[in-house]
Amino acid sequence: MSASQNKMMEDVSAGPGGFLPLSAGTQPQLTHGTVPTVLPKSRVRPLKPGGSKETDVIVYLDNKLLGISRRFEMRFDTDWDDVDYIASSGKGYKSFGDTARDLMDLLDIVWLSGTPTLQTPYLLTIALTLLSYLPSFDFSPRPTFQLLKKLDVAFASLLQGYNVETGELLPGFNSGRGTLNITEKVRVKGLVERTRIAIVEIAGKSGLINSASEDERTQTDTDGGVAAGEDPITEDREGHPEYGRWDMEVARVYERTIVDLNASLDVSGYDGVG
């Protein structure tokens, strides 16, 4: 965690409705005794709309997003020699793991704000950035799924109005119900569905998941290509140490969010057409 992020965490935490900030290296927050959550504990009350603290957070988040964008544009560029530019923005990304870590740091600040009017648009931006940047790198499963897990819990929590891992009521949700409007829900749903498809494709191409369906395997067996009971995909890749390890994580991408969205949009009369 950078010094600037620590400073912003302290600034967001301070003042009325704040809390003691998390220090670098702090483990996931524990609430209600033993329930862990991937998200940091947010402020008790949302930031005052139009207030100086909210403005500071917006400026910080926008600058960080700009820096992430610049580092992405500089990816794999070893000839970049603008020392001042590198000093302000950092070197270009060499892997998606680096990108994911910066996005997770940004997500933590967004969540710490405890302000739904900031959380929803910035979470959408972070999720879209993940989806846009992911194909440009070799697949990095661990940081990718860590970021997706955080986004899933965050979106699902905003939809419900409470932290879905701890049951803790979120700031700004006094009724215990989410406040995302239909337009926001539709945007989240479209982004979630596109990401789920993209992860299957990207992970499948990486050779780290079994992308063959049961029908495909059955057809191969009946065609006489292999003996019954053999799995040609597994046999071809049995020497790959990571093969098959991430199948379950692929299936779980945005699992909480998609269930809550489907239920919410069905209740609202949205049929998914359009």
Side-chain angles (χ1 to χ4, degrees), residues 166-186:
T166 68
E168 193 172 41
L169 192 66
L170 298 181
F173 294 87
N174 295 329
S175 65
R177 300 178 59 186
T179 60
L180 271 69
N181 58 42
I182 293 296
T183 300
E184 291 169 337
K185 290 177 182 178
V186 172

Side-chain angles (χ1 to χ4, degrees), residues 33-150:
T34 60
V35 183
T37 176
V38 298
L39 298 173
K41 186 174 177 62
S42 61
R43 289 172 54 89
V44 175
R45 291 191 291 274
L47 296 170
K48 180 180 178 181
S52 59
K53 194 177 295 294
E54 183 190 58
T55 300
D56 289 343
V57 172
I58 291 173
V59 170
Y60 176 88
L61 294 174
D62 288 347
N63 285 338
K64 284 297 182 182
L65 283 169
L66 179 59
I68 290 171
S69 175
R70 287 174 172 173
R71 291 191 66 188
F72 175 75
E73 294 301 326
M74 294 161 58
R75 66 194 184 281
F76 311 127
D77 190 346
T78 58
D79 298 325
W80 196 280
D81 57 3
D82 190 330
V83 177
D84 292 335
Y85 190 88
I86 291 177
S88 63
S89 300
K91 295 182 179 180
Y93 292 122
K94 295 183 179 180
S95 71
F96 187 75
D98 296 333
T99 315
R101 280 185 284 274
D102 281 353
L103 290 173
M104 282 190 280
D105 287 346
L106 194 67
L107 192 157
D108 284 346
I109 295 296
V110 171
W111 198 254
L112 281 164
S113 74
T115 308
T117 54
L118 295 182
Q119 290 169 330
T120 300
Y122 279 107
L123 286 173
L124 280 166
T125 298
I126 292 170
L128 180 59
T129 301
L130 180 157
L131 178 61
S132 301
Y133 289 5
L134 193 59
S136 298
F137 299 94
D138 290 338
F139 185 51
S140 300
R142 187 176 301 278
T144 300
F145 290 127
Q146 286 176 339
L147 175 55
L148 285 166
K149 171 69 172 177
K150 281 198 169 195

